[in-house]
Amino acid sequence: MALNTENIRLVFGLKLKQLRLDKGMSLSDLSQKSGLSISYINEIEKGKKYPKSDKIVALAAAMDVDYDTLVSIKLSKRLEPISELLSSNILTELPLELFGIDPANLLELLSDAPTKISAFIGTLIEIARNYNMSVEQFYFSALRTYQEMHDNYFEDIEIAAEQFLADRSISDEMILDERYLADVLRKDFGYSIEDINDKTHPGLHGVRSLIIPRPQANRILINSQLTSIQRAFEYGREIGYQYLKLKNRLHTTALVEAESFEQLLNNFKASYFAGAIIIKRTLLVQKLKGFFALDTWQPDVLVDMIRYFNTTPETFCYRLSNVLPRHFGIKQLFFLRFSNFSGQNRFEMTKEMHLARKHNPHTVKDEHYCRRWIALNILQELAEQQPAKDSTSILCRSQISHYVDTADDYFVVSFAKGMATSEHLNVSVTMGIYLDEDTRKVIRFLDDPTIRRREVNETCERCRLFNCKERMAAPTVLQKRRKNEELRKVIHRMIQEN
């Protein structure tokens, strides 16, 4: 087990405290037997100090254990989960300060109630194993939480993006494209740009871009199947890395290479920067105000907006999640991305984000997502239209979804499009806006009768809409929950009667 100095202090403190408690000794008892002060022993147990050899000898003698037992970094079975946590790089790599957590306070919490905290950590580790969660997925979940905490809006990056545009005298009306951003990379940052050769490097198939650092000039290799719009975003993100001076970085778009939380965070910052220079917030806010003021739902206006900004539906929706909370007061929303192979009835949620509260829907393992969701219906519609429809076309559909279990209403907008880099793979991106009084004041067309209204739920396995024609599976989770509730009622009633 590889531990840094801080964690070695904590391990020693945890062992000392557990041994003392096992022997029924108070701090005062240990102080009297060892000759060390209560305050000093307390500092040791909290991992703040590591005693010198003579003091370790005194502590070992006072508790009737040998020296090697006390200094060994091996923890007891009860504390093994804490040991596993400390030996991982999570505590050292994850910048806890971003989440308002003082690392010193966390270590003190571990030392204050080690057995209870150990049980809790063990539970989290077991859940992660059951769901095959890797360290990279843990970092990604932490990043998503960080975004949600800040309403996915970062003023410092917005200002940096606007400064970049101002430095180059780029007007609001000028939309940055692949050619312009490629020139910036070459002329301002000395990059060379090449296509990825699938024949020479077949392992790079599906990778959008690869950065090869060089002392003189970095090389950026681009997937030749990417559209011009996708290339523009890749170049914009690389400019973000350079302009924001982000050193610890990913070299590809494949998140599996992530070795630390900082790399994922920097990748997010660079991507946010790319979105901000391509879809300028001042211009986007102006256009959204006009759209929300319409009396009727007009999906073509949104699709035209995406084409105007020379972007993809996903980047556009993601940019909406940046500006809606800050500039329109719409803070209750979710963002989802689903993938589906044309002709198949299997849908995978590949990205999700929830602002302000944990909305439905969210990722559920081994269950069938509600087939009434517009996010899935639009993928089925797209598959039916292919290959007759232009592969570059974008479908846009909307729905007001009423969740039967929570009675929450959402205005949901979905876009669907085929993937240029993968044959027969279609993707939908969805923005769901919680409907409260404030939102209804902002969006005028919500009463348009052409917007479909449907009762929906989370998954078939949890749904009480028994007459649903779209059901894909029996409500097994719901049935089990009701059976347990009925059992609790029977037990309670029998106890009360006696």
Side-chain angles (χ1 to χ4, degrees):
M1 175 170 62
L3 296 174
N4 60 32
T5 303
E6 187 175 31
N7 287 345
I8 288 174
R9 290 201 308 268
L10 180 62
V11 167
F12 185 89
L14 289 172
K15 289 193 69 174
L16 179 65
K17 184 170 186 176
Q18 197 61 54
L19 281 169
R20 176 175 63 78
L21 295 175
D22 287 346
K23 292 181 178 293
M25 298 173 66
S26 66
L27 281 171
S28 178
D29 294 335
L30 184 55
S31 173
Q32 289 177 2
K33 288 189 176 185
S34 66
L36 305 179
S37 69
I38 293 176
S39 61
Y40 182 66
I41 296 173
N42 192 40
E43 293 281 285
I44 295 172
E45 290 188 352
K46 289 186 176 182
K48 295 181 178 180
K49 291 184 178 179
Y50 192 90
K52 294 181 179 178
S53 296
D54 60 328
K55 292 182 173 58
I56 295 176
V57 170
L59 289 167
M63 292 189 295
D64 195 26
V65 297
D66 59 73
Y67 181 94
D68 291 340
T69 298
L70 196 53
V71 298
S72 169
I73 61 174
K74 183 175 177 58
L75 290 171
S76 67
K77 184 176 181 179
R78 281 177 293 174
L79 302 179
E80 277 181 0
I82 290 180
S83 175
E84 189 170 345
L85 177 69
L86 294 175
S87 62
S88 74
N89 60 353
I90 289 175
L91 286 181
T92 54
E93 294 288 354
L94 194 63
L96 298 173
E97 297 87 349
L98 290 177
F99 300 91
I101 300 172
D102 185 341
N105 290 343
L106 179 61
L107 295 178
E108 188 170 337
L109 177 63
L110 289 175
S111 66
D112 280 346
T115 305
K116 292 180 180 178
I117 296 296
S118 182
F120 176 67
I121 293 172
T123 301
L124 295 181
I125 291 173
E126 186 65 23
I127 291 172
R129 284 174 178 160
N130 288 341
Y131 281 84
N132 296 316
M133 177 178 278
S134 63
V135 172
E136 293 83 5
Q137 289 170 316
F138 176 85
Y139 289 149
F140 191 79
S141 295
L143 174 61
R144 188 171 62 201
T145 300
Y146 176 65
Q147 294 171 245
E148 293 168 1
M149 285 170 55
H150 294 273
D151 289 337
N152 202 33
Y153 181 86
F154 297 88
E155 182 69 17
D156 58 334
I157 306 180
E158 296 282 355
I159 292 173
E162 290 175 354
Q163 186 61 52
F164 169 85
L165 298 171
D167 291 344
R168 288 156 179 76
S169 301
I170 298 171
S171 66
D172 281 349
E173 292 72 25
M174 179 179 175
I175 305 301
L176 304 187
D177 58 13
E178 171 195 359
R179 182 176 178 181
Y180 182 92
L181 294 171
D183 283 344
V184 171
L185 275 181
R186 292 191 185 100
K187 295 176 182 177
D188 292 17
F189 301 108
Y191 276 65
S192 65
I193 300 175
E194 310 164 28
D195 283 342
I196 291 176
N197 190 328
D198 280 348
K199 294 181 179 178
T200 308
H201 302 286
L204 294 178
H205 179 73
V207 172
R208 290 195 170 199
S209 64
L210 169 65
I211 303 301
I212 301 177
R214 295 192 305 187
Q216 292 80 19
N218 289 337
R219 293 171 62 199
I220 178 169
L221 278 61
I222 293 288
N223 189 320
S224 59
Q225 294 184 356
L226 294 185
T227 65
S228 177
I229 291 173
Q230 291 170 327
R231 284 172 173 256
F233 187 83
E234 294 298 314
Y235 297 151
R237 177 168 51 212
E238 196 55 33
I239 292 171
Y241 270 114
Q242 297 298 328
Y243 195 79
L244 299 175
K245 296 180 170 57
L246 304 172
K247 302 300 183 185
N248 192 2
R249 60 165 301 158
L250 299 176
H251 294 95
T252 73
T253 51
L255 298 180
V256 293
E257 69 158 321
E259 297 175 346
S260 70
F261 177 78
E262 185 182 10
Q263 288 181 341
L264 281 183
L265 180 62
N266 286 343
N267 185 69
F268 161 72
K269 289 179 178 179
S271 299
Y272 189 112
F273 180 91
I277 62 174
I278 293 172
I279 307 177
K280 307 177 188 71
R281 64 172 170 176
T282 52
L283 189 54
L284 177 60
V285 168
Q286 175 187 334
K287 287 185 172 294
L288 286 176
K289 285 180 178 178
F291 176 68
F292 289 151
L294 295 173
D295 293 324
T296 57
W297 158 246
Q298 299 182 34
D300 290 344
V301 174
L302 274 184
V303 174
D304 288 344
M305 216 181 294
I306 291 172
R307 299 196 185 284
Y308 174 85
F309 284 111
N310 190 41
T311 191
T312 63
E314 180 170 350
T315 301
F316 180 74
C317 282
Y318 204 76
R319 193 68 178 126
L320 289 183
S321 74
N322 300 148
V323 303
L324 289 180
R326 177 61 63 96
H327 295 280
F328 294 90
I330 298 176
K331 297 183 178 182
Q332 304 272 5
L333 54 85
F334 62 77
F335 169 86
L336 304 173
R337 181 179 69 192
F338 278 94
S339 63
N340 163 255
F341 283 97
S342 182
Q344 296 186 8
N345 200 13
R346 185 171 179 269
F347 303 88
E348 181 183 2
M349 188 186 293
T350 55
K351 185 178 288 187
E352 65 173 314
M353 182 174 62
H354 306 262
L355 300 188
R357 55 184 284 190
K358 191 65 176 178
H359 301 275
N360 283 330
H362 54 81
T363 303
V364 179
K365 185 178 174 63
D366 298 328
E367 294 183 28
H368 296 79
Y369 296 113
C370 178
R371 288 327 196 245
R372 296 184 175 194
W373 291 350
I374 192 65
L376 308 188
N377 296 160
I378 196 173
L379 285 170
Q380 293 170 323
E381 181 181 348
L382 179 64
E384 291 171 359
Q385 295 181 3
Q386 293 169 324
K389 205 168 184 65
D390 179 5
S391 61
T392 63
S393 65
I394 300 171
L395 284 186
C396 178
R397 300 291 183 263
S398 69
Q399 178 173 298
I400 292 181
S401 296
H402 176 78
Y403 280 82
V404 294
D405 283 346
T406 63
D408 290 334
D409 291 322
Y410 292 88
F411 174 60
V412 185
V413 179
S414 285
F415 301 91
K417 191 176 181 298
M419 290 290 288
T421 56
S422 182
E423 190 177 4
H424 304 305
L425 180 65
N426 296 327
V427 172
S428 72
V429 291
T430 300
M431 178 73 69
I433 298 174
Y434 179 67
L435 294 183
D436 56 17
E437 286 188 22
D438 292 335
T439 300
R440 292 182 182 278
K441 290 177 183 177
V442 173
I443 306 177
R444 291 185 55 182
F445 55 72
L446 289 173
D447 292 326
D448 185 342
T450 64
I451 300 176
R452 191 178 190 183
R453 286 150 173 82
R454 300 198 79 184
E455 285 189 320
V456 302
N457 215 322
E458 189 174 3
T459 68
C460 295
E461 286 79 356
R462 299 165 190 268
C463 185
R464 58 185 172 86
L465 296 174
F466 297 105
N467 61 345
C468 176
K469 295 180 180 179
E470 293 87 351
R471 178 178 289 282
M472 298 294 296
T476 53
V477 175
L478 176 67
Q479 290 167 349
K480 184 176 181 180
R481 184 187 302 146
R482 289 184 172 179
K483 182 178 179 180
N484 290 339
E485 288 175 356
E486 184 60 31
L487 178 59
R488 281 193 290 268
K489 289 178 182 178
V490 171
I491 292 172
H492 178 73
R493 185 169 61 250
M494 291 181 69
I495 292 173
Q496 293 297 317
E497 290 175 353
N498 292 305

